Amino acid sequence: MMPGLNQRNSFVTSCRLWPGIIAILLISFFLAGITRHGFAQVLPEVESMVEKAEGFRNSDPAKAVAIAGNALEMAGKASHKPSLARVHRYIGVLHFMTGNLEKARLHFDSAYALYKKLDDKKGVAASLNNIGVVYQEIGEYDKALSYFNNSISLKLALGDSAGATSGMINTGTIYSYRGENEKAAGMFREVIRISTKTQDTS
C-alpha cells in the first residue's frame, strides 16, 4: 500500500490510484517519442536494446531491467550522453512500475542531469515531470508541485501544450488531495481552455 492511503476513505483511495495509472501512460508516451520531436538522438544499437527490453516490460519486468542495464552499460562505454539519458529514463519507468520509487527517482535524476548538460530542453521538461510523479506517489506534494510547475513552464515555452496540460492535471489532482478545491478547479479549467484551443480531445 502506498504511503498515506490507509488514512483516506474508499472514495479518495480510488481517486488516488488514477494519477498513478495516468502517470505510467504519460511516461510511456514520452519514452515512445524520445528519439524524435527535439529529443537528442540515441545510438541505434542502444535504442534497439531498449526496444527489446520493452517487449518484456509487462511479462517479465526483471528481465526488462536486466536488458536495459546492458543498454546502459553499452551507452556508458560509448560515453554517449543522449543514450545514457534515454536509458536512465527507461529504467526509471521500470522501477516506477514495480514500485521501487527510490531507484526510479535516482534514474530520473540522472536523466535530468544529462539532459541539462546536453541543453535538451524537451528532455529536461520530461524528466522534471517524471521526478514529480515519483514525489506525488510518495505523498511529498510540495516537491511534486515544484517539479510539475517547472516542467509545465518549460513545456509551454516549447509549445508543448499537450505535455503541459498533462502536468496541469497532476497539479490539479494534488490540490484536490490537499482540499484546495478552488485551486484544483482552476487548474482543470485551464486544462480545458488550452485543450479546447489546441483541439486536444484526450
Side-chain angles (χ1 to χ4, degrees), residues 48-59:
S48 177
M49 194 167 289
V50 171
E51 289 175 1
K52 181 180 178 181
E54 179 66 7
F56 295 98
R57 186 177 67 168
N58 296 318
S59 62

Side-chain angles (χ1 to χ4, degrees), residues 3 9 22 24 31 49 59 68 73 92 106 113 142 161 181 186 190 194:
N9 62 33
I22 293 169
I24 291 170
L31 286 173
M49 194 167 289
S59 62
E73 184 179 352
L106 290 172
D142 287 339
S161 59
N181 295 324
E190 183 65 5
I194 293 173

Side-chain angles (χ1 to χ4, degrees), residues 175-196:
Y175 288 138
S176 72
Y177 293 165
R178 303 201 306 192
E180 299 176 60
N181 295 324
E182 286 301 319
K183 283 187 178 181
M187 188 61 67
F188 295 141
R189 290 190 190 101
E190 183 65 5
V191 170
I192 293 170
R193 185 190 70 78
I194 293 173
S195 299
T196 300

Side-chain angles (χ1 to χ4, degrees), residues 31 45-72 86-87 90-91 93-94 97:
L31 286 173
E45 57 270 30
V46 172
E47 184 64 33
S48 177
M49 194 167 289
V50 171
E51 289 175 1
K52 181 180 178 181
E54 179 66 7
F56 295 98
R57 186 177 67 168
N58 296 318
S59 62
D60 192 346
K63 187 168 184 177
V65 170
I67 296 170
N70 291 336
L72 188 64
R86 159 63 155 140
V87 182
Y90 183 73
I91 294 175
V93 171
L94 296 176
M97 291 183 64

Side-chain angles (χ1 to χ4, degrees), residues 16 62 65 104 150 153:
R16 177 74 174 83
V65 170
N150 287 335
S153 295

Side-chain angles (χ1 to χ4, degrees), residues 17-33 54 57-58 89-90 92-94 96-97 108 126 129-130 133 136-137 155 162-163 166-167 169-170 202:
L17 296 175
W18 280 107
I21 296 168
I22 293 169
I24 291 170
L25 295 174
L26 289 175
I27 294 171
S28 299
F29 169 78
F30 285 130
L31 286 173
E54 179 66 7
R57 186 177 67 168
N58 296 318
R89 284 196 67 217
Y90 183 73
V93 171
L94 296 176
F96 180 86
M97 291 183 64
F108 291 145
N129 184 74
N130 295 153
V133 166
Q136 180 180 3
E137 286 299 302
K155 287 175 180 177
S166 295
I169 289 171
N170 284 339
S202 64

Side-chain angles (χ1 to χ4, degrees), residues 80-111:
H80 194 259
K81 287 184 177 66
S83 297
L84 283 167
R86 159 63 155 140
V87 182
H88 274 300
R89 284 196 67 217
Y90 183 73
I91 294 175
V93 171
L94 296 176
H95 286 309
F96 180 86
M97 291 183 64
T98 56
N100 196 329
L101 300 181
E102 181 59 23
K103 282 189 176 180
R105 186 185 62 79
L106 290 172
H107 281 285
F108 291 145
D109 281 343
S110 295

